[in-house]
Amino acid sequence: MDWKECKEKRFVKEIKIDKSLIHSLIESSKKKIESNKRLMLDQITASTKVGIAYESIREVLESLAIKMGFKIYNHECFCSFLDEICKDRSSSIEFNRFRMIRNQINYYGKDISIEEAKSIIKEITLLRKKIINKYLGDI
């Protein structure tokens, strides 16, 4: 779905920039990262830990969208936002891959191995840091 379609379907709306909400979401994202570190990784927790990591990056993207004056109501539209508004195709592709993995876990019961979880969590964490440093470093 492209940005135009996201707007037409009302998955995106323009809003006032809310710095306190931006800070709150970034703080919530940090707490998810810290919680994930404290949760032991095993076959039972692997999928849950991937989900927590995904939510931590989604909150960072929500912060970025708010910083740029948008509220996004659809995870797929974060991909369009990164690609078309931020002009960051590679981050869009990466986030979309994580979105699809999360959907497979949440909606289709996909099981994630410990090794897969380690790799995915590491990649999500790196992308999260990249987005914070590139776009939110001045917040």
Side-chain angles (χ1 to χ4, degrees):
M1 182 175 338
D2 65 14
W3 189 247
K4 182 181 175 191
E5 187 177 357
C6 287
K7 288 179 89 172
E8 287 171 355
K9 290 186 174 184
R10 299 177 190 230
F11 293 140
V12 174
K13 75 175 184 178
E14 292 186 22
I15 61 167
K16 287 185 191 177
I17 296 168
D18 183 340
K19 288 190 178 190
S20 65
L21 180 55
I22 292 167
H23 287 288
S24 178
L25 287 165
I26 291 170
E27 190 59 33
S28 178
S29 175
K30 286 179 190 174
K31 287 178 181 177
K32 283 179 176 59
I33 292 296
E34 183 57 35
S35 296
N36 226 5
K37 288 178 184 174
R38 293 179 185 195
L39 182 62
M40 181 180 68
L41 176 62
D42 60 27
Q43 195 54 52
I44 301 296
T45 63
S47 296
T48 301
K49 285 179 64 82
V50 168
I52 292 169
Y54 174 85
E55 283 303 312
S56 75
I57 194 169
R58 189 207 46 80
E59 285 179 329
V60 165
L61 289 174
E62 191 168 343
S63 298
L64 176 57
I66 292 166
K67 180 183 176 188
M68 297 179 84
F70 298 105
K71 175 66 178 166
I72 299 174
Y73 297 97
N74 175 298
H75 293 213
E76 189 176 350
C77 293
F78 282 113
C79 301
S80 302
F81 170 74
L82 282 167
D83 187 19
E84 297 177 50
I85 303 302
C86 298
K87 307 295 185 208
D88 191 343
R89 181 106 175 116
S90 65
S91 294
S92 172
I93 290 167
E94 277 187 272
F95 178 74
N96 194 47
R97 186 169 69 83
F98 302 139
R99 182 187 67 78
M100 290 189 294
I101 291 167
R102 179 252 188 195
N103 286 354
Q104 290 171 346
I105 292 167
N106 284 4
Y107 304 121
Y108 302 103
K110 179 177 169 65
D111 199 26
I112 300 289
S113 73
I114 293 170
E115 288 307 312
E116 282 178 296
K118 279 183 193 176
S119 175
I120 293 164
I121 292 165
K122 182 179 179 182
E123 291 173 40
I124 288 173
T125 303
L126 289 172
L127 180 59
R128 181 185 170 276
K129 284 180 186 177
K130 174 186 167 186
I131 290 167
I132 288 170
N133 292 337
K134 188 172 183 177
Y135 302 107
L136 295 165
D138 59 344
I139 296 290

